[in-house]
Amino acid sequence: MGPPSDDEDLLPALREDLSIEETAPDVSGATQWRLFDPVRQRFFMLSQEAVTVLSLWGCGSAKRLSALLAEQGVPDPVEAILDLRQFLLDEQLATPLSRADQALVASRLQARQSQGLVQWLALYLAWRKPLFRPQAFLVRTLPSLLTMVQPVMLLLWGFLTLFGLYMVSRQWDAFTHDILDLISWQGLVSYALAASVLKVLHELGHAYTAVHAGARVSSMGVMVSMGVPMLYTDTTDVARLPDARARMRVAMAGVAAEVWLAGLALLLWALVPQGAVRGVAMVLATSSLATSLIINLNPLSKFDGYHALSDALGMENLQARSQALMMWWLRKVFLGWREPPPEAVRPQQGRAMVAYGALCWLYRLSTYFAMAGAAWFLGQWGIATAILLGAFFLVLWRPWHQWRRTLAKAPS
């Protein structure tokens, strides 16, 4: 085919480093596809229709592509092209060739740059800084670690943990008394130090398990989520593992590492006399159990429990899909819209996803307000953080804007 005759008909040029991979079928048995961006180490789930459009994208012309898609039986080829075109440009997966696309990209870049306060809020409350490239170190030290997780060692740990729980139950009054003694500024400092140690162990658990499963760990570092600093391990490559059980093991490895330490710390607390060592054991045991049960295993936040749940259900992007389905349900029930759902699901599955999406919204809302309320009493910086969290909710929280746009588009 020759070059397109109309500049405005040019399709954006796909980046050559992108790859499309077939993934495991979803719960309905339908084939799933994934677009991998190696520059940002990000994955994007694609529908079968999007894969069909991308397979013919090289024709270069939107008019030719529309005709080819019509021959392939795509129901609305023009809309499919427009949707995919916008997605590729928004995610910087393609180079704009037409003057219209170049103007669109330039205007969106200018709009983002003009939102100085919004960008500053986003930077303050959510950012990520890689510190290490640990792949070589993990590969070199993994064999030594594997000698510690042999079945006999796990059985020994299980026995010691059960014995520690038994000993703690015999001294329950002293155990609860020690917990109450830690409710102080000194106790908060001790918990902060213990949390730092636990997070290092937690992230190493993810990293080693990922490498053992055959995935690559591109970086480890520090991130801020909703104003809270924490460590992170970039295990994006784990999504390429075909075995869902392997992905679940990586997701739960951090919790397993913390529980392993908690079991030994409980035994140590029960065996040593009152003193500094017993205090450290108490802090490590309670911190690891609290972070594992309250934070990491919570399926409503995007931590380990959420990723394990997604893999167990075989549903990529579970939270985003559930919230999109919930928005559709809200529009249908409260605004009377008669639009098709964002994806075809069974009635029972759809109800469960809508409920899960609503719970995620409520959890995020309660988290924002709880953090803002707690920060308000921590002096000047706490008040500033509380105000910023409120601004984050009003300015940056995506569901708020989704619902606001929905109301603006509601038919009169």
Side-chain angles (χ1 to χ4, degrees), residues 30-41:
T31 302
Q32 298 188 106
W33 301 86
R34 182 170 52 220
L35 178 66
F36 177 52
D37 177 4
V39 174
R40 291 183 293 169
Q41 287 290 304

Side-chain angles (χ1 to χ4, degrees), residues 352-403:
M353 292 176 67
V354 168
Y356 175 75
L359 288 174
C360 290
W361 268 24
L362 292 174
Y363 172 75
R364 294 296 294 272
L365 278 173
S366 63
T367 301
Y368 292 147
F369 288 116
M371 291 177 62
W376 188 267
F377 297 99
L378 297 179
Q380 294 179 349
W381 285 107
I383 293 174
T385 301
I387 294 173
L388 288 172
L389 284 168
F392 178 82
F393 168 69
L394 292 175
V395 178
L396 297 177
W397 195 49
R398 185 177 300 174
W400 169 271
H401 294 286
Q402 288 175 339
W403 186 246

Side-chain angles (χ1 to χ4, degrees), residues 296-313:
N296 293 313
L297 291 180
N298 182 1
L300 301 179
S301 59
K302 288 191 175 181
F303 291 116
D304 304 338
Y306 164 73
H307 295 295
L309 177 63
S310 297
D311 287 324
L313 297 177

Side-chain angles (χ1 to χ4, degrees), residues 182 184-198 279-280 282-284 287:
L182 290 171
S184 62
W185 283 110
Q186 293 83 358
L188 289 176
V189 172
S190 299
Y191 273 114
L193 294 174
S196 301
V197 174
L198 289 171
V280 171
M282 164 63 73
V283 170
L284 288 175
S287 298

Side-chain angles (χ1 to χ4, degrees), residues 5 12 16 33 47 53 65 80 83-84 97 102-103 107 128 169 279 286 310 312 336 344 366 385 393:
S5 57
E16 295 183 357
W33 301 86
S47 64
V53 177
L65 179 57
D83 289 344
L84 191 57
L97 297 179
Q102 291 171 1
S107 65
R128 174 179 291 197
S169 68
T286 54
S310 297
S366 63
T385 301
F393 168 69

Side-chain angles (χ1 to χ4, degrees), residues 21 36 49 59 66 73 82 123 147-148 157 168 173 200 204 207 215 223 243 248 251 264 288 330 343 360 392 398-399:
E21 307 165 348
F36 177 52
E49 180 182 275
C59 69
S66 180
L82 291 176
L123 181 63
T147 60
M148 301 174 58
W157 169 83
V168 168
D173 290 339
V200 171
L204 286 174
M223 64 180 290
D243 187 0
M248 290 177 64
L264 298 181
S288 56
L330 290 174
E343 62 177 289
C360 290
F392 178 82
R398 185 177 300 174

